[in-house]
Amino acid sequence: MAQQEEVFKKLISHCKEYGFVFPSSEIYDGLGAVYDYGQNGVELKNNIKKYWWDSMTLLNENVVGIDSAIFMHPTIWKASGHVDAFNDPLIDNKDSKKRYRADVLIEEQIAKYEDKINKEVEKAAKRFGETFDEQKFRETNPRVLENEAKKEALHTRFAKALNDSNLEELRQIIIDEEIVDPVSGTKNWTEVRQFNLMFSTEMGSTADGATKIYLRPETAQGIFVNFLNVQKSGRMKIPFGIAQIGKAFRNEIVARQFIFRMREFEQMEMQFFVRPGEELAWFDRWKQTRMRWHKALGLGDKKYRFHDHDKLAHYANAATDIEFEMPFGFKEVEGIHSRTDFDLSSHEKFSGKRIQFFDPELNQSYVPYVIETSIGVDRMFLSVLAGSYFEEKLENGETRVVLRIPAVLAPVKLAVLPLIKKDGLPEKAREIMDNLKFDYHCQYDEKDSIGKRYRRQDAIGTPYCITVDHDSLTDNQVTIRYRDTMEQERVPVDQLKQIIAEKLSMKHLLKKI
Ligand code: GAP
């Protein structure tokens, strides 16, 4: 784990050094849990958004997009339950004066038991070599069984406390498990209190009696309140979905782990409206589709897993997370929720408008049920970078840092490099670049040795470098150097576009879903 933390630190500084992510307001010493995306970060982020948007709106003829406002009528947040129930259970350590989420402290404790079990298994696997029977070992080893029992007991107790919203019990678990504050090292804890996560501001001048409004904590409500508009104007029939990408804001108390938990972040959400009673079948379908979307990127199937929720949100009758193996463990990247008819029914009640669909096949009206897929752009961004960051020892003893970002998502697709900056090579390189720049984000670089330039492109994840040498002037051929294998191939300039188009096609990626 310590090694992984080291890798994570390196990844964070790599993000800054190579223009992916900067701390916000850095010259004023930053603003907690708020980040800016740099020149490469914004390209990667836009490519992730395009991959998601196309997978929703191109592949599904019954999914359409919208872009709703961040500011919404304040009653929406009353109807959605966020004013009353969008809380985190907080606990303070009296010695360090640091504030923590009680549920996160307990989840970390559960993860510690899991770590202990995995270490036992790893040790035994090394000791027994090829003859090792992991399943049998897990079923019989006393230390594994002991930790498994502790983990299960804690898990059950924790889930019940969460479901009962029993704050005293959450505190008691922290005491009984002897969880210490990582800063002070003491167990001197306060009571657990609920804290609402919504940011609020005022609209209108105070003299006229300004209205308190909220910065949306999820984009989903913008979809719900436009259900009728889209259904009617688009003549949509159930089942159908509405997709949206946009900013969301949460006053996270424990904002750690870089862009994993931010106060201003971006979501890609899709609400899929279905007939009552059919929601769990659709839930399962979207679960599988979304997992295929992730795995199609080729970062490694073993890095993903589902995690079913112990505590269902106030609106859900089924929920699961897609988790990715970050350098700090398996963490939620996307949530898939069966939200029942909670939101639409509640908006019916609070707005006084009828929000129903007349189903001609059933010859009846009903409030549709909803399956939601909700993924954070920033967490997706982090998972792509974490899964792509490699430090490699080369044959000549040097180390290269390479981002093996899936080619379709890479910020810069092609670097065009004249071997030297004279003898007509820059002009030839420019000519090639001018031909390709309409289709791909290209970078021209003539500074430093070719080796150094390759390293710079590896560090930002450019999948293809095109080198122009003296022979290119006479044979009209160039060398493509591949980022991942570092292999080089000589190809005619005329065929370049076709070769690259094949490799950078979003279509191939979408077809895997
Ligand atoms: N509409 C449902 C909803 O918002 P959620 O599980 O609270 O559900 C969905 O959030 C996704 O949004 C998460 O899986 C995560 O990727 C992202 N997300 C939530 N809070 C975040 C935060 N503070 N910083 C970055 N991403 C966040």
Side-chain angles (χ1 to χ4, degrees):
M1 198 62 184
Q3 199 190 349
Q4 285 295 80
E5 276 166 20
E6 204 47 44
V7 171
F8 188 43
K9 275 192 198 149
K10 284 187 189 170
L11 179 64
I12 296 171
S13 46
H14 191 87
C15 278
K16 181 156 183 264
E17 189 180 345
Y18 288 94
F20 282 89
V21 182
F22 307 125
S24 167
S25 323
E26 199 186 5
I27 58 170
Y28 292 95
D29 296 332
L31 185 66
V34 186
Y35 291 89
D36 297 337
Y37 285 84
Q39 65 279 18
N40 289 316
V42 69
E43 296 289 342
L44 173 56
K45 207 175 172 207
N46 285 342
N47 294 339
I48 289 173
K49 288 195 268 187
K50 181 165 169 50
Y51 175 41
W52 183 86
W53 188 261
D54 287 356
S55 76
M56 286 295 170
T57 62
L58 297 186
L59 299 192
N60 304 287
E61 57 191 77
N62 57 354
V63 176
V64 293
I66 61 163
D67 183 13
S68 71
I70 288 173
F71 291 150
M72 295 200 278
H73 195 286
T75 310
I76 286 172
W77 304 111
K78 197 78 193 141
S80 69
H82 284 83
V83 170
D84 296 321
F86 194 53
N87 301 317
D88 272 350
L90 296 188
I91 191 165
D92 291 22
N93 182 273
K94 291 182 193 164
D95 299 317
S96 68
K97 311 275 185 266
K98 291 267 174 213
R99 184 159 286 178
Y100 300 90
R101 268 177 59 179
D103 55 332
V104 171
L105 287 179
I106 299 170
E107 273 167 10
E108 285 172 355
Q109 181 72 2
I110 294 173
K112 274 187 192 155
Y113 288 124
E114 219 166 74
D115 275 355
K116 280 186 190 168
I117 295 167
N118 289 338
K119 275 200 187 115
E120 290 292 342
V121 173
E122 270 169 38
K123 255 188 350 206
K126 265 197 200 137
R127 206 168 50 236
F128 294 112
E130 280 184 4
T131 58
F132 183 56
D133 180 342
E134 183 175 329
Q135 194 185 342
K136 194 161 170 214
F137 182 80
R138 282 181 183 273
E139 285 166 3
T140 54
N141 180 274
R143 277 188 300 275
V144 169
L145 291 176
E146 186 193 338
N147 281 310
E148 193 64 57
K150 281 185 185 165
K151 190 186 99 178
E152 271 317 301
L154 174 56
H155 192 253
T156 311
R157 195 176 163 197
F158 173 51
K160 180 162 173 17
L162 278 183
N163 271 319
D164 297 346
S165 297
N166 187 341
L167 302 184
E168 267 173 42
E169 173 68 351
L170 284 179
R171 179 172 190 273
Q172 200 51 50
I173 294 175
I174 290 172
I175 304 290
D176 293 349
E177 288 288 325
E178 303 191 337
I179 296 175
V180 296
D181 172 10
V183 177
S184 67
T186 70
K187 295 175 237 165
N188 199 4
W189 297 108
T190 62
E191 300 304 304
V192 177
R193 285 161 297 117
Q194 293 287 26
F195 179 87
N196 193 284
L197 296 180
M198 281 197 294
F199 282 104
S200 63
T201 185
E202 290 185 342
M203 185 177 264
S205 80
T206 344
D208 304 338
T211 316
K212 179 177 175 181
I213 56 166
Y214 297 97
L215 297 190
R216 64 183 180 194
E218 62 170 12
T219 59
Q221 295 305 321
I223 294 178
F224 289 125
V225 298
N226 277 297
F227 168 79
L228 286 179
N229 285 337
V230 175
Q231 191 272 315
K232 291 206 160 77
S233 62
R235 295 187 300 123
M236 308 300 289
K237 297 209 167 29
I238 297 279
F240 76 92
I242 305 178
Q244 166 160 237
I245 299 178
K247 288 267 181 159
F249 305 83
R250 293 182 191 178
N251 194 4
E252 298 283 0
I253 295 312
V254 186
R256 281 185 290 160
Q257 290 157 331
F258 192 38
I259 56 172
F260 182 78
R261 199 176 295 287
M262 302 157 89
R263 295 199 168 105
E264 174 181 340
F265 57 100
E266 210 165 353
Q267 289 186 314
M268 305 188 282
E269 299 202 293
M270 196 278 299
Q271 313 298 129
F272 198 72
F273 301 95
V274 303
R275 279 182 186 162
E278 293 186 357
E279 73 274 14
L280 292 180
W282 280 109
F283 172 74
D284 212 46
R285 222 161 128 172
W286 277 108
K287 235 176 103 168
Q288 305 312 331
T289 307
R290 292 304 304 146
M291 188 56 110
R292 284 199 299 277
W293 182 89
H294 285 276
K295 289 187 173 173
L297 289 173
L299 294 172
D301 288 4
K302 285 199 174 144
K303 288 187 180 285
Y304 301 92
R305 70 180 187 193
F306 286 116
H307 174 248
D308 294 334
H309 285 206
D310 288 324
K311 184 191 180 202
L312 292 175
H314 55 276
Y315 47 72
N317 71 357
T320 195
D321 294 335
I322 293 178
E323 294 186 337
F324 183 81
E325 191 176 15
M326 302 278 187
F328 41 91
F330 272 95
K331 295 286 167 193
E332 172 192 347
V333 172
E334 171 159 7
I336 297 149
H337 312 123
S338 173
R339 287 180 82 131
T340 66
D341 61 349
F342 172 85
D343 300 87
L344 291 183
S345 294
S346 193
H347 287 306
E348 261 202 332
K349 202 166 94 200
F350 278 79
S351 68
K353 307 278 185 317
R354 190 177 144 88
I355 309 180
Q356 300 205 357
F357 173 76
F358 176 74
D359 193 324
E361 280 173 34
L362 299 181
N363 196 28
Q364 74 180 64
S365 293
Y366 52 79
V367 178
Y369 272 49
V370 172
I371 303 306
E372 161 183 80
T373 72
S374 173
I375 171 170
V377 180
D378 313 87
R379 281 195 196 174
M380 184 60 203
F381 182 102
L382 184 58
S383 70
V384 169
L385 280 188
S388 306
Y389 181 92
F390 290 92
E391 288 175 10
E392 290 179 355
K393 263 254 165 317
L394 301 177
E395 277 174 10
N396 63 6
E398 284 177 17
T399 307
R400 76 160 179 162
V401 174
V402 55
L403 294 183
R404 297 175 185 274
I405 300 173
V408 183
L409 302 185
V412 177
K413 304 287 192 255
L414 303 161
V416 185
L417 317 170
L419 195 58
I420 53 169
K421 48 179 167 181
K422 55 181 186 180
D423 303 341
L425 301 193
E427 289 76 10
K428 181 76 181 168
R430 285 273 177 214
E431 190 187 305
I432 292 170
M433 171 121 173
D434 283 345
N435 194 22
L436 293 170
K437 71 181 179 192
F438 297 98
D439 298 305
Y440 305 110
H441 191 222
C442 306
Q443 221 172 58
Y444 175 85
D445 191 2
E446 59 178 23
K447 198 167 175 293
D448 298 321
S449 72
I450 195 74
K452 272 194 183 154
R453 282 181 271 168
Y454 284 156
R455 282 301 94 77
R456 275 203 290 271
Q457 295 301 330
D458 287 344
I460 62 168
T462 307
Y464 311 111
C465 287
I466 292 162
T467 309
V468 177
D469 57 24
H470 287 93
D471 289 342
S472 308
L473 301 179
T474 49
D475 66 6
N476 206 29
Q477 295 200 1
V478 285
T479 305
I480 299 189
R481 182 257 191 193
Y482 296 96
R483 175 195 68 196
D484 295 346
T485 57
M486 293 189 289
E487 273 167 15
Q488 305 193 1
E489 190 185 359
R490 195 85 183 149
V491 299
V493 171
D494 311 340
Q495 287 175 25
L496 208 46
K497 214 173 205 167
Q498 193 193 337
I499 293 168
I500 294 164
E502 190 63 22
K503 298 182 193 299
L504 290 174
S505 152
M506 178 73 87
K507 188 164 126 190
H508 290 330
L509 191 55
L510 290 172
K511 277 191 168 175
K512 289 188 197 163
I513 298 170

